[in-house]
RNA sequence: GCGCCUGUAGCUCAGCUGGAUAGAGCGUCGGACUACGAAUCCGUAGGUCGGGGGUUCGAAUCCCUCCAGGCGUACCA
């Protein structure tokens, strides 16, 4: 779409250079945009304004020469010079029916591109400690990570989704102890929970399950420690919740599997001269690489820090051949970024291959009033609770409505409302509505062939309304690549709301199925099919269903 | 103190590498179903883009500074 407009412009520039009206041979970073106002055309470019300083001539003068050459293209209806030197390009309706044809042909693939060129990227997200159920913050990370992975895939990247299991540190030990204490409690002992022990009811559940397994003389009786058992149980809970949320990972990477690799990583840093000993601890010279201060890798007591395993983990990712890394972290970890980047640089990598997306806080609301979360009891609102209450679709959509690094108010009541004010229903409704229109049409025995073979079938689509809607569809392709480039899945929700809105307006303004005008009906039904396709493709990127009935 | 994020309509937020008259939803107010789903649509009102400088043909967008809010600044994980 935009590509071919860019082609028209560069052809015009080439022609101008050939006939000598443009003399500078410098590359210019041309911007092609879609003007807000229809009188400024379908596309507009600032190329003349960029050339003006190089040519040392008035922008409007240059624009006039280029506009003439642009108008010569057979897809261009007319081309005008406006304002300080914009060139506004008006395309022929046949251009737009061509676009519609493309949507229909590509169907489920419309929106995909080769932008990523098969580059291997890894998206690591959620990575929650297996010490408790997932809460809503994890849910937001899961929704963003999964949607981003879908978008990157659509944009032509080779994507791997990974969950990093923190199963080596002290917190897993605390988990094991917590379960063990509850186990002994069930056996009649008096117990006292320490400050670091987990107090949620899920701990009791695990303790009970453990006892049951023991009674049955299960496999876990001897070989496996209660700590491993608890960790496994927690993980399976996490997997279940993620499955309920529709999120699947390609890899589950265990921190404990790193072990020797941590020493290797430290050794490599030492060889490269980034490590020194002080006060009985081993330090990493991160300050020289952009961090606020140097960091400890091995504590005076001999334990390796969490940071040390994180270095080893990222090193391992790169050894696995990923050319791009995406880490999705809670916003409270942003202080961590500088040291991780420092470690990549120290290991000899360009740290720009790592992108970190920070997930800001979610405030749960109920009709505008914040939902209290008992901090003392340690009872967070779990992701599972929210999925069960508002449904998976609404939950995912709401998590994706704001850009990741902006705080999000999640109103449970709004998410459940089946009304205009709820964007999920608004978008899904447009899909269901189209399905219903198509049913209606076939009941009236207006049948569409499975494939459009002749573009002239679409030629009745020439009104302003028809063209506007097709334009909206065409924007989807570049939206997807843009979202991939900037790693901002939230824009898909805005786009879908706009497209759904455009369709609803169109529907109210135009009779689609009409028995008198068969040609118009057929063409419009194809337009409906294309809108439905794009809505479905967009929702699929978000991991939200596209219902045929609601 | 230093660092990161945020500040756009009454509310919640979009605004792509600087572009032409700053947008949407909700909420206000007023309209539209004897035809395809009114879970919809149409219209109306509402803004010194936190303040002040600068860069240029042109700034919500880039730079500096100040103000306000959030978060982070561990030999914790």
């Amino acid at each position: 779409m935009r590509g071919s407009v860019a082609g028209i412009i560069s052809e015009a520039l080439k022609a101008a250079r050939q006939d000598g009206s443009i003399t500078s041979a410098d590359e210019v970073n041309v911007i092609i945009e879609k003007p807000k106002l229809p009188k400024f055309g379908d596309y507009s470019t600032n190329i003349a304004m960029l050339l003006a300083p190089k040519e040392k001539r008035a922008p409007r003068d240059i624009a006039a020469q280029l506009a003439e050459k642009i108008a010569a293209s057979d897809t261009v209806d007319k081309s005008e010079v406006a304002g300080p030197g914009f060139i506004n390009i008006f395309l022929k309706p046949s251009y737009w029916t061509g676009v519609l044809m493309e949507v229909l042909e590509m169907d489920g693939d419309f929106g995909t591109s080769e932008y990523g060129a098969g580059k291997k990227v890894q998206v690591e997200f959620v990575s929650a400690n297996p010490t408790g159920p997932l809460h809503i913050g994890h849910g937001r990370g899961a929704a963003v990570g999964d949607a981003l992975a879908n978008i990157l895939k659509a944009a032509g990247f080779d994507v791997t989704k990974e969950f990093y299991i923190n199963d080596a540190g002290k917190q897993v030990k605390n988990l094991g102890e917590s379960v063990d204490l509850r186990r002994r409690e069930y056996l009649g002992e008096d117990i006292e929970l320490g400050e670091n022990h987990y107090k949620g009811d899920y701990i009791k559940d695990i303790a009970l399950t453990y006892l049951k397994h023991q009674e049955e003389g299960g496999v876990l009786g001897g070989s496996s420690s209660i700590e491993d058992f608890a960790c496994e149980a927690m993980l399976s809970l996490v997997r279940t919740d993620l499955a309920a949320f529709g999120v699947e990972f390609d890899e589950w990477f265990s921190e404990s599997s790193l072990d020797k690799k941590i020493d290797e990583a430290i050794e490599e840093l030492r060889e490269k001269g980034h490590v020194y000993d002080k006060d009985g601890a081993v330090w990493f010279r991160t300050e020289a690489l952009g961090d606020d201060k140097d960091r400890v890798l091995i504590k005076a007591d001999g334990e390796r820090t969490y940071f040390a395993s994180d270095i080893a983990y990222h090193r391992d990712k790169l050894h696995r051949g990923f050319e791009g890394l995406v880490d999705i972290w809670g916003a409270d970890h942003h202080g961590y970024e500088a040291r991780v980047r420092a470690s990549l640089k120290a290991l000899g990598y360009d740290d720009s291959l790592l992108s970190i997306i920070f997930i800001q806080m979610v405030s749960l609301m109920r009709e505008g009033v914040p939902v209290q979360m008992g901090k003392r009891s340690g009872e967070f609102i779990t992701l599972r609770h929210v999925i069960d209450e508002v449904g998976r679709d609404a939950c995912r959509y709401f998590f994706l409505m704001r850009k990741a690094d902006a705080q999000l108010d999640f109103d449970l009541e709004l998410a459940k409302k089946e009304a205009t004010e709820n964007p999920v229903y608004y978008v899904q409704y447009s899909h269901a509505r189209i399905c219903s229109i198509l049913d209606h049409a076939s009941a009236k025995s207006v049948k569409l062939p499975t494939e459009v073979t002749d573009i002239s079938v679409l030629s009745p689509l020439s009104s302003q309304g028809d063209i506007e809607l097709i334009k909206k569809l065409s924007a989807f392709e570049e939206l997807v690549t843009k979202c991939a480039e900037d790693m901002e899945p939230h824009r898909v929700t805005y786009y879908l709301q706009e497209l759904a809105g455009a369709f609803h307006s169109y529907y109210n303004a135009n009779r689609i199925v009409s028995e008198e005008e068969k040609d118009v009906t057929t063409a419009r039904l194809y337009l409906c099919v294309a809108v439905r396709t794009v809505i479905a493709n967009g929702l699929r990127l978000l991991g939200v269903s596209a219902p045929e009935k609601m």
Side-chain angles (χ1 to χ4, degrees):
Chain A
M1 318 291 102
R2 188 177 279 220
S4 58
V5 174
I8 292 166
I9 293 169
S10 71
E11 282 301 312
L13 182 60
K14 212 160 107 190
R17 277 178 176 145
Q18 265 164 16
D19 72 12
S21 45
I22 300 282
T23 53
S24 84
D26 297 352
E27 285 291 313
V28 281
N29 185 22
V30 181
I31 292 174
I32 300 165
E33 59 162 19
K34 283 177 241 168
K36 289 166 210 152
L37 298 172
K39 67 171 177 174
F40 294 140
D42 296 318
Y43 287 95
S44 121
T45 172
N46 65 346
I47 184 168
M49 272 126 71
L50 297 176
L51 285 168
K54 300 178 198 292
E55 292 287 304
K56 299 198 173 66
R57 281 194 292 144
R60 286 193 64 107
D61 190 27
I62 300 168
Q65 290 175 333
L66 288 173
E68 198 181 311
K69 299 197 161 50
I70 287 169
S73 161
D74 53 6
T75 51
V76 174
D77 187 25
K78 59 176 175 167
S79 145
E80 296 173 349
V81 179
F86 290 104
I87 302 171
N88 296 332
I89 301 168
F90 297 77
L91 299 161
K92 290 183 179 155
S94 61
Y95 174 84
W96 295 112
T97 48
V99 169
L100 179 57
M101 188 84 174
E102 192 187 327
V103 178
L104 292 168
E105 281 169 357
M106 291 187 76
D107 196 28
D109 289 331
F110 183 72
T112 60
S113 70
E114 300 300 315
Y115 170 78
K119 193 170 150 185
K120 257 189 92 173
V121 299
Q122 185 217 51
V123 184
E124 182 223 322
F125 59 111
V126 186
S127 299
N129 290 344
T131 54
L134 297 176
H135 54 74
I136 49 170
H138 296 126
R140 190 176 184 190
V144 170
D146 200 42
L148 180 60
N150 289 340
I151 289 166
L152 291 172
K153 250 177 238 175
F157 289 92
D158 176 5
V159 183
T160 301
K161 297 188 277 183
E162 182 156 308
F163 186 114
Y164 180 59
I165 309 164
N166 294 111
D167 56 358
K170 211 169 283 177
Q171 75 280 24
V172 176
K173 213 174 140 220
N174 291 336
L175 174 74
E177 286 174 14
S178 308
V179 172
D180 193 44
L181 283 166
R182 290 298 187 192
R183 178 190 64 89
R184 281 153 53 189
E185 187 180 39
Y186 279 119
L187 295 176
E189 281 184 47
D190 282 337
I191 59 148
E192 203 173 319
L193 290 172
E195 205 177 310
N196 292 326
H197 291 134
Y198 300 98
K199 298 171 184 69
D201 287 342
Y202 60 92
I203 298 290
K204 296 183 191 168
D205 296 342
I206 296 173
L208 273 180
T209 320
Y210 183 78
L211 285 168
K212 207 170 145 209
H213 275 262
Q214 264 190 332
E215 270 172 32
E216 293 165 1
V219 277
L220 302 144
S223 61
S224 176
S225 69
I226 193 163
E227 186 179 305
D228 291 345
F229 180 83
C231 195
E232 256 324 300
M234 237 16 274
L235 266 178
S236 96
L237 195 64
V238 166
R239 284 176 208 261
T240 312
D241 286 355
L242 286 169
F245 201 38
V247 176
E248 282 179 23
F249 285 90
D250 302 306
E251 298 285 343
W252 293 74
F253 190 96
S254 162
E255 180 187 1
S256 57
S257 76
L258 283 170
D259 196 33
K260 285 199 184 69
K261 290 178 181 164
I262 301 176
D263 298 329
E264 285 169 24
I266 295 175
E267 202 40 51
E268 183 177 343
L269 289 173
R270 193 184 283 281
E271 279 164 20
K272 291 183 167 157
H274 296 286
V275 169
Y276 62 92
D277 301 298
K278 193 182 89 180
D279 304 332
V282 176
W283 293 74
F284 174 16
R285 226 183 296 275
T286 53
E287 191 178 348
L289 295 164
D291 197 5
D292 296 337
K293 49 176 282 194
D294 291 348
R295 306 290 171 178
V296 170
L297 296 175
I298 303 175
K299 298 186 269 179
D301 65 8
E303 291 245 349
R304 296 172 299 198
T305 59
Y306 182 83
F307 177 43
S309 48
D310 242 7
I311 296 172
Y313 179 42
H314 283 85
R315 179 172 172 268
D316 184 73
K317 291 183 184 188
L318 292 164
H319 286 183
R320 279 188 270 158
F322 291 112
E323 302 161 84
L325 301 178
V326 183
D327 284 8
I328 296 181
W329 294 353
D332 54 342
H333 285 68
H334 76 246
Y336 217 74
E337 176 170 9
R339 75 191 75 166
V340 171
R341 292 199 176 281
S343 64
L344 293 181
K345 287 182 220 164
L347 292 168
Y349 294 100
D350 177 356
D351 74 303
S352 67
L353 57 77
L354 170 68
S355 306
I356 303 176
I357 293 175
F358 293 101
I359 303 289
Q360 265 292 356
M361 297 267 287
V362 179
S363 314
L364 269 194
M365 315 283 276
R366 207 174 271 287
E367 288 180 329
V369 183
V371 176
Q372 291 300 323
M373 303 204 213
K375 287 180 191 121
R376 225 148 284 181
S377 61
E379 290 291 322
F380 294 94
I381 305 274
T382 62
L383 173 61
R384 193 49 184 266
H385 176 99
V386 179
I387 297 173
D388 290 345
E389 181 171 342
V390 309
R392 184 210 277 189
D393 285 345
C395 190
R396 286 185 80 131
Y397 198 95
F398 269 63
F399 280 139
L400 292 164
M401 279 198 306
R402 303 271 171 268
K403 59 178 168 228
D405 60 2
Q407 287 203 7
L408 169 71
D409 288 337
F410 189 136
D411 197 307
L412 292 165
E413 295 306 320
L414 174 59
K416 280 190 289 186
K417 260 184 206 161
E418 299 185 353
T420 321
E421 53 188 312
N422 185 345
V424 193
Y425 284 93
Y426 186 77
V427 173
Q428 289 184 321
Y429 178 60
S430 66
H431 187 271
R433 196 179 216 184
I434 294 171
C435 293
S436 166
I437 294 166
L438 295 172
D439 283 348
H440 172 82
S442 71
K444 295 255 177 195
S445 68
V446 184
K447 287 259 186 330
L448 289 179
T450 48
E451 273 178 46
V452 206
T453 46
D454 183 0
I455 194 164
S456 66
V457 175
L458 304 175
S459 61
L461 301 173
S462 57
S463 76
Q464 185 76 14
D466 297 321
I467 303 294
E468 286 305 315
L469 194 52
I470 297 173
K471 277 189 197 175
K472 200 80 213 163
L473 294 175
S474 84
F476 184 65
E477 279 190 312
E478 60 197 71
L479 173 92
V480 177
T481 52
K482 196 67 191 164
C483 286
E485 192 182 338
D486 298 339
M487 301 195 179
E488 292 188 336
H490 75 277
R491 282 200 213 141
V492 176
T493 65
Y494 282 91
Y495 171 79
L496 287 174
Q497 279 160 249
E498 283 170 22
L499 177 58
F503 175 73
H504 286 312
S505 295
Y506 180 83
Y507 171 84
N508 275 276
N510 300 283
R511 178 77 208 167
I512 292 169
V513 180
S514 148
E515 309 202 30
E516 293 84 59
E517 301 178 285
K518 284 222 151 158
D519 293 349
V520 175
T521 297
T522 305
R524 287 191 170 157
L525 284 174
Y526 275 120
L527 180 52
C528 288
V529 170
V531 172
R532 183 179 66 171
T533 297
V534 175
I535 295 270
N537 291 357
L539 286 172
R540 196 181 328 116
L541 293 177
L542 302 179
V544 175
S545 71
E548 294 182 10
K549 283 192 169 51
M550 295 173 67

